């Protein structure tokens, strides 16, 4: 019988991480402080006061962690560079020791035939720049362009896949609107300004890349399909707003040079009139889209819910993860098809997909069974394959995450790793999902017919 889950030979099978979530040693070897360092050290901002001071101690255990990746059989790895390690003041003098770390990481990966995908910004703005307004200062686009140029110059000879920004929606919704992430602001008026400057910065980095880079560059967005709870006019309108706000706010300008209309409704008087010139600049060809997919949302009209006036309806028969997200694999297939239809049929990578389920803090023995995570991964990788069948140009899949790590303001309470980390000893233990993923990679998907 013909195989139903055969992925292309060139398919990338990876894991993803982010600097502040795994590295630890945030101030080592001349690094500057990021605004996440400040935020996590501010009492009350993270669960249990957890910080990234140690995290997975990856900064000091990098070689061992790359060996774990090789054991898994990964042929790709997505990580982010800490801007403040490279440019401690955000701009100006380069800290060679910080840059050397990423240089060694790239070499260690290549030595094991693991393709690096590098994210320039995964949420850790240098504090020195935040002190000057950060994402609210229009000059941030120059700062980001300069930082990007330094990274491209040093690594593009060996790095073929670059990501400008990770999930700009989360940066602004958590960081500037609700205050749950760094820098912890709560300001409706600031939110669209931060978004706009993120987009301008993205575009400037792509522009610099076309000058000095030789490979491919894209952006990573989080997409969460919005399904109306009922077909009442109110719920449909709420769904439209939620979709414009979360799913189309960034791609629409990057690919089509315009903002979705829904944003005007969402932000009301806080929505500025943007210069047409900016939108023309923001629209600049990219080489791929990175999709982070975790869940969908069933939406109902809810006037009390600021500012989108929409809230999520819990599904009584569904499975939910530890982060409260419904397990709903078909929306991954739909998101991929939707990207193909609406955003230029570009190559797509699933740059994050995974689940937090409860695992104990300490593990006895060699393995930890995690059946819920295994089931999540199986279903979602099958759903990814369905999109290939439907003609989506899907090039790779990255599990979030390689290791249990700092789940931002949730601290170490949410475990997403294929590999368990005991945060009191730094002992790494493979979970059952690591074994499963290894088999999926080794068979290029075919094992999914049997598991
Ligand atoms: C982010 C990660 C985060 C993960 C799970 C994504 O929003 O890129 O940094 O840990 O999802 O919440």
């Amino acid at each position: 019988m013909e195989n139903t889950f055969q992925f292309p030979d060139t398919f990338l099978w990876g894991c993803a991480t982010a600097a502040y979530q795994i590295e630890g040693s945030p101030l080592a070897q001349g690094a500057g402080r990021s605004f996440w360092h400040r935020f996590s050290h501010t009492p009350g901002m993270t669960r249990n006061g957890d910080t990234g001071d140690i995290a997975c101690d990856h900064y000091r255990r990098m070689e061992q962690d790359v060996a774990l990746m090789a054991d898994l059989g990964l042929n790709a790895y997505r990580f982010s560079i800490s801007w403040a390690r490279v440019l401690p003041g955000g701009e100006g003098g380069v800290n060679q020791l910080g840059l050397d770390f990423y240089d060694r990481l790239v070499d260690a990966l290549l030595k094991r035939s693991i393709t690096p995908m590098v994210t320039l910004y995964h949420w850790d703005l240098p504090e020195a720049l935040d002190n000057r307004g950060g994402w609210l200062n229009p000059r941030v686009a120059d700062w980001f362009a300069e930082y990007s140029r330094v990274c491209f110059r040093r690594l593009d000879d060996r790095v073929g896949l670059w990501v400008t920004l990770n999930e700009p929606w989360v940066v602004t919704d958590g960081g500037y609107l609700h205050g749950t992430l760094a820098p912890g602001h709560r300001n409706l008026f600031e939110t669209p300004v931060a978004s706009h400057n993120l987009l301008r910065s993205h575009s400037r980095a792509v522009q610099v890349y076309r000058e000095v880079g030789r490979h491919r560059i894209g952006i990573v967005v989080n997409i969460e399909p919005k399904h109306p709870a009922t077909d009442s006019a109110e719920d449909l309108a709420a769904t439209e707003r939620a979709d414009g706000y979360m799913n189309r706010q960034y791609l629409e300008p990057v690919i089509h040079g315009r903002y979705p209309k829904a944003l005007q409704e969402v932000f009301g008087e806080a929505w500025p009139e943007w210069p047409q010139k900016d939108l023309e600049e923001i629209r600049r060809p990219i080489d791929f889209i990175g999709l982070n997919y975790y869940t969908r949302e069933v939406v109902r009209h809810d006037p009390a819910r600021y500012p989108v006036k929409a809230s999520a309806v819990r599904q009584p028969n569904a499975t939910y993860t530890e982060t409260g997200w419904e397990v709903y694999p078909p929306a991954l297939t739909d998101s991929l098809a939707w990207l193909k239809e609406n955003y230029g049929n570009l190559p797509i990578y699933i740059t994050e997909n995974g689940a937090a389920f409860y695992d104990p803090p300490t593990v006895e023995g060699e393995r930890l069974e995690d059946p819920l995570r295994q089931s999540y991964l199986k279903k979602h990788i099958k759903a990814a394959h369905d999109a290939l069948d439907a003609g989506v140009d899907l090039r790779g899949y990255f599990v979030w995450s390689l290791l249990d790590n700092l789940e931002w303001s949730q601290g170490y309470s949410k475990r997403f790793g294929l590999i368990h980390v005991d945060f009191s000893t730094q002992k790494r233990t493979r979970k059952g999902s690591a074994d499963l993923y290894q088999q999926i990679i080794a068979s290029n998907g075919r094992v999914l017919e049997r598991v």
Side-chain angles (χ1 to χ4, degrees):
M1 210 183 83
E2 212 188 317
N3 271 323
T4 39
F5 293 111
Q6 174 83 55
F7 284 77
D9 287 344
T10 52
F11 200 74
L12 293 187
W13 294 105
C15 283
T17 63
Y20 192 71
Q21 293 181 273
I22 66 163
E23 286 177 357
S25 311
L27 306 182
Q29 300 189 294
R33 289 155 60 110
S34 74
F35 69 1
W36 253 99
H37 184 81
R38 183 188 63 211
F39 186 80
S40 67
H41 281 266
T42 305
M45 297 319 254
T46 65
R47 191 150 164 171
N48 302 319
D50 288 345
T51 72
D53 287 1
I54 299 174
C56 306
D57 200 24
H58 171 77
Y59 192 71
R60 301 191 307 163
R61 293 166 194 259
M62 181 270 282
E63 296 279 350
Q64 285 158 258
D65 288 338
V66 173
L68 291 173
M69 296 178 212
D71 290 345
L72 269 169
L74 301 189
N75 63 13
Y77 174 56
R78 172 175 176 244
F79 64 92
S80 78
I81 296 182
S82 154
W83 187 341
R85 281 198 200 282
V86 174
L87 293 163
E91 60 163 351
V94 174
N95 175 32
Q96 292 301 337
L97 290 176
L99 204 44
D100 287 349
F101 170 74
Y102 299 104
D103 200 284
R104 286 198 309 276
L105 170 57
V106 166
D107 282 345
L109 293 168
L110 292 175
K111 209 165 91 194
R112 294 173 185 269
S113 307
I114 300 173
T115 298
M117 178 186 275
V118 178
T119 304
L120 291 164
Y121 187 71
H122 200 128
W123 306 0
D124 46 358
L125 191 75
E127 188 185 30
L129 298 182
D130 190 54
N131 290 341
R132 297 158 72 187
W135 292 113
L136 300 172
N137 185 335
R139 287 190 55 202
V140 71
D142 298 328
W143 302 330
F144 190 62
E146 177 192 331
Y147 157 64
S148 303
R149 187 184 295 271
V150 170
C151 297
F152 299 149
R153 283 234 161 100
R154 181 71 176 265
L155 301 173
D156 190 62
D157 58 339
R158 286 155 292 151
V159 171
L161 292 167
W162 291 91
V163 169
T164 54
L165 306 174
N166 178 72
E167 299 189 354
W169 180 81
V170 177
V171 175
T172 62
D173 181 78
Y176 292 87
L177 183 62
H178 297 297
T180 52
L181 302 173
H185 297 192
R186 296 178 188 198
N187 188 319
L188 186 69
F189 285 80
E190 286 181 359
T191 305
V193 176
S195 288
H196 194 70
N197 286 330
L198 279 155
L199 285 164
R200 290 179 48 250
S201 302
H202 153 82
S203 163
R204 286 291 304 284
V206 175
Q207 184 184 28
V208 170
Y209 193 68
R210 299 302 177 214
E211 274 169 47
V212 303
R214 288 184 297 119
H215 305 100
R216 283 176 285 155
I217 190 161
I219 189 169
V220 165
V221 286
N222 54 301
I223 300 296
E224 196 178 288
K226 306 292 180 184
H227 297 160
T230 71
D231 51 20
S232 74
E234 281 194 326
D235 286 350
L236 292 174
T239 306
E240 185 75 23
R241 287 193 300 276
D243 180 55
Y245 176 57
M246 190 186 211
N247 298 329
R248 294 188 290 114
Q249 182 168 189
Y250 300 91
L251 284 178
E252 203 77 15
V254 165
I255 309 285
H256 300 305
R258 59 177 185 239
Y259 280 112
K261 287 222 166 46
L263 294 182
Q264 224 150 23
E265 225 180 303
V266 169
F267 287 106
E269 58 166 345
W271 183 250
E273 199 154 309
W274 299 112
Q276 191 52 34
K277 186 177 120 305
D278 285 8
L279 286 157
E280 277 156 24
E281 274 170 23
I282 288 167
R283 176 190 191 176
R284 191 182 286 284
I286 53 173
D287 303 312
F288 64 87
I289 294 174
L291 164 67
N292 289 357
Y293 175 83
Y294 289 92
T295 189
R296 64 136 176 197
E297 192 179 59
V298 177
V299 177
R300 75 177 170 90
H301 177 66
D302 180 358
R305 205 50 182 267
Y306 167 90
V308 188
K309 301 194 184 71
S311 60
V313 180
R314 207 173 158 90
Q315 302 303 293
N317 299 319
T319 304
Y320 282 81
T321 69
E322 276 275 294
T323 45
W325 300 338
E326 183 191 352
V327 177
Y328 195 80
L332 171 57
T333 319
D334 295 347
S335 301
L336 290 162
W338 176 82
L339 288 175
K340 173 182 160 68
E341 289 309 312
N342 292 282
Y343 295 111
N345 195 15
L346 287 170
I348 302 173
Y349 295 88
I350 297 170
T351 36
E352 287 180 30
N353 175 241
F357 288 109
Y358 176 78
D359 299 312
T362 296
V363 182
E364 303 294 334
E366 303 264 294
R367 279 289 181 281
L368 174 70
E369 276 317 315
D370 61 341
L372 291 172
R373 188 174 294 98
Q374 289 184 45
S375 156
Y376 182 98
L377 293 176
K378 273 186 256 184
K379 289 182 187 153
H380 285 81
I381 296 173
K382 287 179 180 179
H385 194 274
D386 290 345
L388 276 173
D389 283 342
V392 173
D393 187 2
L394 180 64
R395 306 277 178 100
Y397 173 91
F398 293 76
V399 176
W400 185 270
S401 185
L402 176 73
L403 303 164
D404 293 336
N405 60 45
L406 179 81
E407 181 54 17
W408 304 108
S409 41
Q410 298 294 317
Y412 295 97
S413 69
K414 304 284 176 270
R415 294 177 177 271
F416 279 88
L418 295 180
I419 297 172
H420 179 276
V421 178
D422 181 329
F423 291 105
S424 61
T425 60
Q426 290 297 332
K427 181 173 162 249
R428 273 83 163 132
T429 307
R430 276 172 69 133
K431 301 182 192 175
S433 54
D435 296 342
L436 169 74
Y437 196 45
Q438 182 171 0
Q439 289 170 31
I440 292 173
I441 298 171
S443 66
N444 214 12
R446 286 189 307 270
V447 75
L448 287 168
E449 287 157 48
R450 288 182 274 118
V451 291

